[in-house]
Amino acid sequence: MPNRLSDATSPYLLQHARQPVDWYPWGEEAFAEARERNVPVMLSVGYAACHWCHVMAHESFDDPEVAKVLNEHFVSIKVDREEHPDVDAVYMNATQALTGQGGWPMTVFLTPDGLPFFAGTYFPPEPRQGLPSFTQLVEALAKTWDEQHEAVLESAEQIRTQLAEINQVPEAAEKAPTAMQTLDALGKDYDMLHGGFGSAPKFPAAMVLDALLVKGDHTSLDMAQLTCETMARGGIHDQIGGGFHRYSVDAQWVVPHFEKMLYDNALLLGTYTRTWRRTADHDPDKRALFERVIFGIVDWLADEMATENGGFASSLDADSVDIRGSVHEGIYYVWNPELLNDALGEDDAAWAQDVFHVTNQGTFEHGLSTLQLRKVGDWPRLERVSARLKEVRDGRFRPARDDKVIASWNGLAIDSLVTAGMVFDKPEWVELARRAAEAVWQVHLVEVDGVRELRRSSRGGVPGDSPAVTEDYGALALGFTRLAGALGDATWLERAAWLVDQADELFSADDGGFFDAGDDDLRFARPRDLMDNATPSGTATMVHALRAVGVLTGEQRYGERADAAARTTWATVAAAPRHAGWSLADVLVMDEARRGLKLADVTIVVDEDDRMNQLVRAAWRMAPAGSAIVAGPAGTTGFGHLFDDREQRDGQATAYVCRGQVCFEPVTSYTEFKTPLWSRT
């Protein structure tokens, strides 16, 4: 019999909709029930692509005996962390503080007022490795609640007080950290052999790589390029289907955790495009490798992640079934010599075994190997063999797709698709971005009591109930601004300006920064984290969006608001630059501005049907970080004064570059373009 999750828009919640546990979604109803019955809340947080979430669901939540204990002694709430990142953040902070570690599934026990008093992650069905069984745990906590009720409440209050002290953000700094200090600090965590930062497990560091690409100095560029190259060659990269897996369990990028997330690939598409721009023409193999990655990510987005209404789905599961019907993590993606031979024939299989490092022993498990691109001498053969392997792999049982649409992740994808489309002269990529932008705008913007509100998620064209958070407003505004420049369509700039204005109203903090979400009486705290997680922090995303909107509108207030928010990130950048990549990127962009390379507005006057001509492409390929580019015919309106009195020269597309109040001589040839783009004032 379905429970209260049967009407959810989250595929993760729907996976639990027929369990015997009497689940509630996050909301007042659940806490009111807990207060009415005077029982604690069991909060379970996970997401659809989480392997151990599925394991615990099967072992415990599908068990009628476990459900009986939960239903009798607790109110059980199931949360999709991707729909409610604010809830996830608040209770993950509590879990990490109470246990010294975190992860998903996250299991937190709360008072009816939402205060945590016990927390953990995965609990097994039987006692194992020092952990009690889940049944033992819930029975013990139920007994403690009944017999030591006042002590539990007192402990919960103490935990709240301690968490408030631990989670205070640093005061806004008066002075930005120096570029040299932060880049040197990054270098100390850098893996000089395999690229990336830190040791296993190793995550793609898209935001940090973006920061390293700002100045283009030799050391920073070497770190970015080696990391991008080793990831591109590693098993973390889907060599035949495009896109990247979540992270590598080893330091060499060989074996990934196999889930594929929209946000990782949206960010990495932009990062690889910017790295390609910074890679010299005289390194054709490296450029070809990066280009292969870029085209592969876009193909993956278009073929596997685009939903019917144009938005992009959230993720692909790590697990799928083999030919015997057994579930295995990564089985969809791995090979052995026999499988290669069956797919390709003897000659190509032998070649592929060498190129992809498929060994007889296996690099993964059970004699199976991930595909690593160890060496390439024949690019056409690589593409032919890869296409055949993909054709064969498409016949396997596919991982499940979480097809909900998340506003912020789509904003990141829109931003990167536009950038890549303009750099590589691919108008169809820009159109893919435009369709996603239109889908999110039309579906996620709802009207409640005459007031427009942005929702974080949707599924099947139906908006969810979760309000959008700071990163949703910022990432969408950034993507919309980029789209406005590429299309010369001020409608998207107007929408971007509305989004950042709304975010300023909803999420501003007294110190000039931003909270990560709005007020919610059900949470015991309001989340605010200036460090990046899998995606840039909400504050960093807003800073980037505000600067982009400010340059294209010409409205100084947006730049000033960005400056105020950026100051709140400086202490975090100085202390932990590896975990504040986009904030560090802003520090470096503004350091260049102080050195004369101020944020540029690049206006290119073109014919109506010539928005991707050679001059436009040159701008997108060569403009320094922080530039805002717009192309359109003479007389285009809606971009401040950028098109005022600007026309084509001698019937040719003409580019106008300005930095603040200083403008350079217009150019009509891409060979002359680098001078105004990179001249300091």
Side-chain angles (χ1 to χ4, degrees), residues 630-654:
V630 58
T636 296
T637 59
F639 291 92
H641 299 289
L642 293 186
F643 284 89
D644 289 0
D645 302 319
R646 289 179 172 176
E647 299 178 345
Q648 292 187 3
R649 299 270 180 106
D650 301 322
Q652 300 180 73
T654 304

Side-chain angles (χ1 to χ4, degrees), residues 249-291:
V249 301
D250 55 84
Q252 295 80 36
W253 309 105
V254 176
V255 177
H257 184 47
F258 286 92
E259 63 199 53
K260 293 173 80 173
M261 311 300 297
L262 175 62
Y263 53 73
D264 285 323
N265 288 283
L267 288 163
L268 287 167
L269 174 59
T271 299
Y272 271 89
T273 300
R274 287 182 279 275
T275 307
W276 182 91
R277 290 193 338 155
R278 286 286 198 181
T279 301
D281 290 338
H282 58 69
D283 198 345
D285 282 346
K286 193 173 290 183
R287 272 200 150 200
L289 179 64
F290 296 160
E291 193 168 320

Side-chain angles (χ1 to χ4, degrees), residues 183-184 187 190 212 216-225:
L183 292 173
D184 284 349
Y190 179 66
L212 291 172
D217 61 279
H218 182 74
T219 300
S220 298
L221 195 55
D222 278 354
M223 287 195 286
Q225 287 178 327

Side-chain angles (χ1 to χ4, degrees), residues 47 81-82 206 246 259-269 300 313-315 408-409 412-413 533-535:
Y47 58 104
R81 66 177 296 260
E82 296 171 352
R246 177 75 272 267
E259 63 199 53
K260 293 173 80 173
M261 311 300 297
L262 175 62
Y263 53 73
D264 285 323
N265 288 283
L267 288 163
L268 287 167
L269 174 59
W300 177 76
S314 296
S315 64
S408 61
W409 304 354
L412 296 172
N533 288 294
T535 55

Side-chain angles (χ1 to χ4, degrees), residues 156-408:
E157 284 291 348
Q158 291 174 351
I159 290 170
R160 169 162 57 180
T161 301
Q162 291 169 0
L163 287 172
E165 295 173 357
I166 293 171
N167 294 323
Q168 286 183 343
V169 300
E171 292 185 7
E174 292 298 321
K175 187 177 180 181
T178 68
M180 186 68 71
Q181 287 174 331
T182 53
L183 292 173
D184 284 349
L186 269 183
K188 293 176 183 177
D189 287 336
Y190 179 66
D191 182 341
M192 296 181 67
L193 186 59
H194 304 292
F197 298 87
S199 57
K202 191 177 280 184
F203 291 80
M207 292 83 80
V208 175
L209 297 177
D210 286 341
L212 291 172
L213 294 166
V214 169
K215 286 181 172 285
D217 61 279
H218 182 74
T219 300
S220 298
L221 195 55
D222 278 354
M223 287 195 286
Q225 287 178 327
L226 178 62
T227 302
C228 284
E229 181 176 3
T230 51
M231 286 200 306
R233 294 186 182 279
I236 192 174
H237 179 216
D238 184 351
Q239 301 292 346
I240 63 174
F244 287 84
H245 301 288
R246 177 75 272 267
Y247 63 86
S248 175
V249 301
D250 55 84
Q252 295 80 36
W253 309 105
V254 176
V255 177
H257 184 47
F258 286 92
E259 63 199 53
K260 293 173 80 173
M261 311 300 297
L262 175 62
Y263 53 73
D264 285 323
N265 288 283
L267 288 163
L268 287 167
L269 174 59
T271 299
Y272 271 89
T273 300
R274 287 182 279 275
T275 307
W276 182 91
R277 290 193 338 155
R278 286 286 198 181
T279 301
D281 290 338
H282 58 69
D283 198 345
D285 282 346
K286 193 173 290 183
R287 272 200 150 200
L289 179 64
F290 296 160
E291 193 168 320
R292 183 174 187 266
V293 169
I294 292 161
F295 278 64
I297 293 175
V298 177
D299 286 345
W300 177 76
L301 288 172
D303 296 343
E304 298 198 42
M305 303 305 285
T307 62
E308 188 175 339
N309 74 339
F312 294 109
S314 296
S315 64
L316 297 182
D317 208 334
D319 301 342
S320 56
V321 299
D322 62 17
I323 57 174
R324 298 177 182 85
S326 299
V327 176
H328 298 276
E329 182 183 358
I331 194 68
Y332 182 73
Y333 299 100
V334 292
W335 301 80
N336 62 23
E338 182 181 356
L339 289 169
L340 289 179
N341 197 66
D342 290 344
L344 299 170
E346 189 173 334
D347 288 345
D348 277 345
W351 183 85
Q353 188 175 340
D354 184 39
V355 167
F356 289 126
H357 194 58
V358 176
T359 68
N360 291 323
Q361 296 78 23
T363 58
F364 176 44
E365 56 187 28
H366 307 302
L368 295 163
S369 294
T370 60
L371 299 186
Q372 303 170 68
L373 196 60
R374 286 297 179 93
K375 53 185 176 182
V376 181
D378 188 343
W379 289 97
R381 188 177 190 182
L382 175 66
E383 296 312 310
R384 176 175 59 79
V385 167
S386 297
R388 174 57 186 158
L389 290 177
K390 185 176 186 302
E391 182 182 356
V392 172
R393 195 181 77 176
D394 285 345
R396 298 177 180 178
F397 294 100
R398 303 174 70 84
R401 184 177 80 162
D402 183 338
D403 59 356
K404 71 177 179 293
V405 174
I406 299 291
S408 61

Side-chain angles (χ1 to χ4, degrees), residues 600-663:
D601 56 80
V602 183
T603 307
I604 307 161
V605 181
V606 298
D607 292 332
E608 181 68 45
D609 58 354
D610 193 26
R611 295 176 186 272
M612 296 186 78
N613 65 32
Q614 197 174 47
L615 201 59
V616 175
R617 294 199 306 276
W620 286 87
R621 289 186 175 195
M622 293 194 299
S627 302
I629 304 164
V630 58
T636 296
T637 59
F639 291 92
H641 299 289
L642 293 186
F643 284 89
D644 289 0
D645 302 319
R646 289 179 172 176
E647 299 178 345
Q648 292 187 3
R649 299 270 180 106
D650 301 322
Q652 300 180 73
T654 304
Y656 298 80
V657 179
C658 296
R659 299 191 185 284
Q661 305 303 313
V662 178
C663 294

